[in-house]
Amino acid sequence: MPRAGFAAAPSFAQTKVDFILNWVPGGDHVPYYYAKKMGWYKEAGIDLDIEPGKGSAVAVQKVGAGANPIGLADMPNALTLRGKGADTVGVFNVYANSPQGLYWLKSSGIKSVKDLAGKKIGNPAGDGARTIWPALAKANGMDPNSVTWVNIDANAKLSGAEGEVDRRDHLVLQHPPHLPARARRRHGLRRLEGRRPQHLRQHHHRQRRLPEEEQGDRRRLRQGHAEGLRRLRRHARALRAGADRRQRRAAARQRD
Amino acid sequence: MRDKYSEGVALGILDDARMAADYDIVKTYLGLEQPFDVKIAYTNEFLDRSIKMPK
C-alpha cells in the first residue's frame, strides 16, 4: 500500500493532509471548515485540504487505496469494504446516532416503511444510504429488492423532493438528515417513522494503519477536529443565548 | 454527537459494544465477503480524552 498524504517534513513545518468528506460540503461539515478558518489545524501543524466527497463508499475506497490519508464515512460502508480488503481503521466517531432518513410526500399515502414496497427511491449512486437499506428493509420484514433505486445528483436531494424526481411514483429520498420541520411542511414531506436497526448509527473518520512517524500527525489532526467541534458547540450556545436575550429585550420593549 | 460516551468518556470515542453490534448487523443484513475481528477496524488511540462533548 502506498503511504501517500503525509510529507516527510521537519517538525516545525506544516504537514499537508488531504481529508476527503463523505459528501458534498453541507451543514454537518461546518466544524471542519470552521476549525480551518480559525487556524486551529495550522496551530496543530496541519495544512488541511478538505476534499468534497461523492459518498461514503468512495471515501473508504480512496482512503483504503492510499489516495487520501483520512476521510469521513459511515460505518456500514467501512465494515463492508473492510470485508473486501480495504485497509482502513475508524479513529473518531462523529455522529453518536445515524443522521440518515427517508422522506416522502404526504400525498403519497405512505404510512410506514412497509408501504415503500413498489416505490422508487431517489438517491445518489454512491450514497451510504443504499448500503444500509437492506438492513432497514429486513428489520421491517421487507424484501430489500421491493423498491427501485433512481440515481439523482449528489446535491439534488432536496430539489428531488421539490419535483425533479418523479412525484407520480411518490419517490422517496434518503437524507438530508436534518431537514427542518418548516421545510418538510413546505414540501409536503413526511419522515420515516418505521422501525430502524438500532446500531447502524455512527459516522466515522477512517484511516489506514500508519507507521509510527505518521501517527503523531494523525493525533494532531484528530485534536484539531475535536477542538473544532467543541468550540463550535460553545459558539452555537453563545449565539443562541444572544438570540434569546435579544428576543427578551424585544418583548420587553413591546410591553413598554 | 451527543451520547453518554461522547459526554462521559471522550468526544469521538468508539465503544466496543456498539462496534460489535454494528458488525453483527452488517454481517447479518448486508453480508461480509471475508469475516474479520471487528476490533481491527477501529481504534481510540488517537483521541484526546480530555475533550468531551459539553453537557
Side-chain angles (χ1 to χ4, degrees), chain A residues 19 40 63 71 76 86 100-101 109-110 114 124 133 136 141 156 171 181 194 197:
Chain A
F19 171 50
W40 295 331
V63 173
Q100 292 183 335
I110 295 171
K114 287 188 176 180
W133 166 253
L136 177 68
L171 198 141

Side-chain angles (χ1 to χ4, degrees), chain A residues 203-217:
Chain A
H203 273 220
H204 296 254
H205 289 278
R206 311 294 304 185
Q207 68 168 61
R208 295 176 303 127
R209 291 218 178 268
L210 296 170
E212 187 63 34
E213 66 269 21
E214 294 180 356
Q215 293 191 9
D217 296 328

Side-chain angles (χ1 to χ4, degrees), chain A residues 106-121:
Chain A
K106 284 180 181 174
S107 58
S108 69
I110 295 171
K111 301 293 183 191
S112 74
V113 67
K114 287 188 176 180
D115 295 331
L116 298 176
K119 303 289 192 257
K120 294 178 181 176
I121 300 181

Side-chain angles (χ1 to χ4, degrees), chain A residues 223-254:
Chain A
Q223 286 169 345
H225 283 349
E227 188 63 11
L229 290 166
R230 191 174 66 86
R231 292 196 200 184
L232 188 66
R233 178 90 188 164
R234 191 176 290 171
H235 186 59
R237 281 186 170 185
L239 288 174
R240 197 161 52 230
D244 289 346
R245 280 196 299 275
R246 284 193 295 276
Q247 278 187 344
R248 283 197 296 273
R249 282 199 294 269
R253 279 197 298 273
Q254 281 187 340

